[in-house]
Amino acid sequence: MYCQNCGKQMEEGATFCSECGSSLQNQNTYTTSNSYTTSNSYVTSFEMASQKKGTAIAALVLGIFGLLAWIIPIVGLPVGIVGLVLGIKGSKKSGKGMAIAGIVLSTICLILTIINGAIGAYQGYKGEAWFQQDKVLQESEKNEFTIRDDKGNILLSGGIEAVELKSLDLANGEKQYAAEIRFSDSAAEKFTQITAEHIGEQLGIYLNDNRVSNPYVQSQIEGGVCQITAESQSLANELVESLRKCI
């Protein structure tokens, strides 16, 4: 401790300066107050530096996360924007290196997100997006129904409106199962004409290029309904499901 009046060093606990006789009590109070102020300012500065460094760290973490988040544009876009903003704020303070790294990674995230979003929008417009693949697959599995003569000429293609499983009571008390086809109005009219022109002949009923039935036409069939019998209920069910893919 020194006397502020003459500068002479004093012993600890002294109340008056031995050189000039000045009171040291006010000087002590002033020195203590000044030390406290300096210490408090140091703590505040340290806290502010820690907060600024935390901003840089957050920017870096978001930038790293953004390298994965860009795959989903709805996630990658906000992550990239927040990471970029925090990086810019952190680059002006402490932790500048981490902040710059966060800016770079967040920028890459935003670029990839925008490109991915643009590609997704284009594929969606073309009907080629991943969420549209199920529909494309279902359409590719659609069957083609045709009725052909004994020479393979196609007499009727498509025109199925509905398909149901039917059980037929036989004379011996047993049941026979069939897939019942109901045609649209235009197809029903054509089917009536075909059966009228081919009485006594066999007509082939095809799914794609596979013949599922080859019945004889005994009379003209009106009403737009055709039944295809099967050997068992399970085979009839399979036939119904296959024919429904023709609708």
Side-chain angles (χ1 to χ4, degrees), residues 2-245:
Y2 294 85
C3 175
Q4 292 184 351
N5 187 41
C6 64
K8 183 175 178 59
Q9 185 176 0
M10 299 288 100
E11 294 181 359
E12 187 174 355
T15 57
F16 292 90
C17 176
S18 60
E19 181 69 22
C20 65
S22 299
S23 173
L24 300 178
Q25 291 182 355
N26 292 333
Q27 294 181 26
N28 286 340
T29 301
Y30 174 79
T31 302
T32 302
S33 174
N34 185 54
S35 299
Y36 172 78
T37 303
T38 303
S39 176
N40 187 52
S41 298
Y42 172 77
V43 172
T44 303
S45 298
F46 177 77
E47 290 176 348
M48 291 178 64
S50 298
Q51 292 175 357
K52 294 166 185 175
K53 189 173 182 180
T55 301
I57 294 173
L60 178 60
V61 171
L62 287 174
I64 295 173
F65 179 68
L67 294 180
L68 298 175
W70 68 269
I71 298 175
I72 306 176
I74 197 172
V75 177
L77 191 61
V79 168
I81 292 174
V82 174
L84 185 61
V85 172
L86 292 178
I88 293 174
K89 291 178 64 177
S91 65
K92 301 176 182 178
K93 312 296 179 182
S94 60
K96 187 175 182 180
M98 290 185 290
I100 293 175
I103 292 173
V104 173
L105 294 176
S106 297
T107 302
I108 294 174
C109 169
L110 286 174
I111 292 174
L112 293 176
T113 299
I114 293 172
I115 293 175
N116 188 33
I119 293 174
Y122 176 78
Q123 289 178 336
Y125 175 75
K126 289 290 186 177
E128 300 172 353
W130 62 267
F131 54 84
Q132 297 170 315
Q133 294 304 309
D134 289 342
K135 182 179 179 181
V136 173
L137 182 61
Q138 290 175 1
E139 291 177 352
S140 66
E141 292 178 348
K142 188 174 181 178
N143 290 327
E144 181 184 12
F145 171 83
T146 56
I147 297 178
R148 309 181 188 185
D149 61 19
D150 55 0
K151 295 180 182 179
N153 298 315
I154 297 177
L155 305 176
L156 176 64
S157 177
I160 296 178
E161 191 173 75
V163 183
E164 296 180 2
L165 177 68
K166 292 291 184 178
S167 62
L168 309 174
D169 294 324
L170 302 179
N172 58 7
E174 295 182 357
K175 286 184 178 295
Q176 188 174 41
Y177 294 90
E180 183 178 273
I181 300 172
R182 183 170 296 279
F183 293 107
S184 63
D185 292 341
S186 59
E189 184 178 348
K190 192 170 184 179
F191 180 68
T192 300
Q193 181 183 351
I194 292 170
T195 56
E197 294 174 352
H198 293 81
I199 294 175
E201 300 177 11
Q202 282 183 293
L203 294 179
I205 298 176
Y206 286 79
L207 278 175
N208 301 322
D209 290 325
N210 300 317
R211 190 173 65 186
V212 296
S213 182
N214 194 33
Y216 279 96
V217 179
Q218 297 178 353
S219 62
Q220 177 178 310
I221 302 175
E222 299 179 351
V225 176
C226 171
Q227 290 184 340
I228 306 173
T229 58
E231 296 179 358
S232 65
Q233 183 176 1
S234 61
L235 290 176
N237 275 320
E238 291 179 9
L239 183 57
V240 168
E241 292 301 321
S242 297
L243 286 168
R244 282 175 177 169
K245 291 181 180 179

